[in-house]
Amino acid sequence: MMRFLVLIACLFAVNSCKKKSAANPPEAVQLAFPEENSECTTGVSLGEDISQVEFRWGLADNTETYELRVTNISTGTVQTIVSASSSAKLPLAKGTQFSWFVRSRNSEVEQTVSSEEWYFYNSGSRTTFAPFPATIESPASSDNVFKDINNEVELSWSASDLDDDIDRYEVYFSVETPPVDLIRELSSTVTNVKVSVTSDTVYYWRVVVIDEEGNKSDTGVYNFKVL
């Protein structure tokens, strides 16, 4: 009897020591529509100023729900909706620029993951469009980078405009945030610039895109550290 009780105790100890397999974190979705840097013309009109836009994305592994976040670029207002499928609809102001991304969630883990962020215009009565905010290519935000032999780092970006009339770029760069020092004004054909840097220093920068009509867009502040 004693041996039987000891055996049961050992089996219980072994089983209690087994770790539960960790749940896999969700994966990022691939956005589909409205397309990046485009004009959305498929919204259903809900009145003079508002239309309902359907957002679509691909399904992601290990994901239970999708949180759609849509931001009005001019006002900063954020609209969110949670969906269990690969689409959702939101009412949006016509003739206005928006950004959107989708956050994947799984109730078994705390970790979430976000998709890329895309920009688009919701179709309206506008005849001219402000450029989309430039896409920062390098250094990415919070990157650690090395300076070159000339003690410089290259900043690079890309930009898009529905009117295809980008006129110039303003580059702001400093060790303070937000960066207010305009270090260079560049033509629409130049999307990179080298800046002088010092090791063990954090720098902040942003790019303002200006079109021929004087419309502007701002990337917001990015930062990197020189090692």
Side-chain angles (χ1 to χ4, degrees):
M1 183 65 177
M2 181 62 67
R3 290 181 179 179
F4 177 74
L5 292 176
V6 171
L7 177 61
I8 294 298
C10 290
L11 289 174
F12 178 79
V14 169
N15 289 331
S16 64
C17 289
K18 289 183 179 179
K19 295 182 179 179
K20 294 182 179 179
S21 58
N24 292 320
E27 296 187 0
V29 306
Q30 175 61 53
L31 304 183
F33 185 85
E35 296 178 353
E36 184 177 20
N37 296 342
S38 68
E39 181 182 12
C40 176
T41 60
T42 62
V44 177
S45 181
L46 301 179
E48 184 177 348
D49 301 318
I50 303 294
S51 62
Q52 181 171 265
V53 175
E54 181 177 20
F55 294 80
R56 300 194 298 272
W57 55 88
L59 295 174
D61 290 340
N62 310 317
T63 302
E64 294 177 350
T65 57
Y66 304 91
E67 179 188 358
L68 169 65
R69 296 179 63 87
V70 182
T71 302
N72 184 316
I73 299 302
S74 62
T75 65
T77 302
V78 179
Q79 294 175 259
T80 64
I81 186 171
V82 176
S83 173
S85 66
S86 59
S87 67
K89 297 177 180 179
L90 283 175
L92 303 177
K94 294 180 179 179
T96 302
Q97 188 184 101
F98 293 89
S99 68
W100 71 290
F101 69 89
V102 175
R103 184 173 292 148
S104 303
R105 296 184 179 277
N106 184 330
S107 61
E108 294 186 359
V109 295
E110 294 184 3
Q111 179 182 349
T112 63
V113 62
S114 297
S115 68
E116 296 180 40
E117 185 175 31
W118 281 7
Y119 292 87
F120 72 97
Y121 267 101
N122 188 25
S123 183
S125 59
R126 295 181 65 101
T127 58
T128 181
F129 298 90
F132 293 105
T135 299
I136 298 300
E137 295 184 346
S138 68
S141 194
S142 302
D143 258 5
N144 294 322
V145 301
F146 292 97
K147 59 186 179 180
D148 62 22
I149 59 174
N150 296 315
N151 295 319
E152 293 180 326
V153 167
E154 182 176 81
L155 312 179
S156 65
W157 61 92
S158 61
S160 176
D161 188 330
L162 286 178
D163 301 320
D164 196 25
D165 65 345
I166 293 175
D167 181 63
R168 63 191 186 277
Y169 304 106
E170 292 178 346
V171 182
Y172 294 83
F173 178 79
S174 70
V175 295
E176 299 177 349
T177 184
V180 295
D181 298 333
L182 175 60
I183 63 162
R184 201 69 58 86
E185 192 166 335
L186 303 166
S187 71
S188 60
T189 60
V190 181
T191 56
N192 60 79
V193 61
K194 287 192 173 184
V195 292
S196 297
V197 296
T198 303
S199 296
D200 198 28
T201 305
V202 176
Y203 291 93
Y204 301 88
W205 67 297
R206 62 189 179 96
V207 177
V208 176
V209 187
I210 306 172
D211 67 14
E212 294 176 357
E213 300 291 329
N215 299 312
K216 298 182 179 181
S217 66
D218 193 321
T219 59
V221 178
Y222 284 70
N223 70 85
F224 63 91
K225 182 176 182 179
V226 181
L227 300 178

